[in-house]
Amino acid sequence: FEYEATVAGQTKVREPDWPMTLGGTVTDGEVVWTARSISNASLVKTITASNWAAETGVSIEGEATENSAGEQKTAAFLIAESAGKKLSVVNTVTFSDTHKEQFRLEVTVE
């Protein structure tokens, strides 16, 4: 959940016990917080690019980045060309703050 202040005001010193149901509310001093479904708008940073690269022996047939309900996923459909080998695939992900991270996937083809 993410919590929206639906009545403005001054909060208490201590954090309230957050509601665990969609639409549930809690009063925190003068503020009323309402539980909402998490959304992509609440993410601090988002995926702006996802670049998959595979070594010889693996081909990338399709890739996608999905943004849904405050969660982001990047995926690729891989096709191995031969069995019995350990192969590497690397995904370089660029985020909205220009930070980049690389993720390596080791695949053993059977």
Side-chain angles (χ1 to χ4, degrees), residues 62-85:
E63 52 187 288
T65 300
E66 179 183 318
N67 302 298
S68 176
E71 181 176 84
Q72 295 194 296
K73 301 174 189 174
T74 180
F77 183 72
L78 310 174
I79 297 178
E81 296 166 5
S82 61
K85 290 179 69 177

Side-chain angles (χ1 to χ4, degrees), residues 30-43:
E30 301 168 348
V31 178
V32 175
W33 297 98
T34 302
R36 304 285 192 216
S37 294
I38 195 163
S39 66
N40 288 342
S42 66
L43 297 174

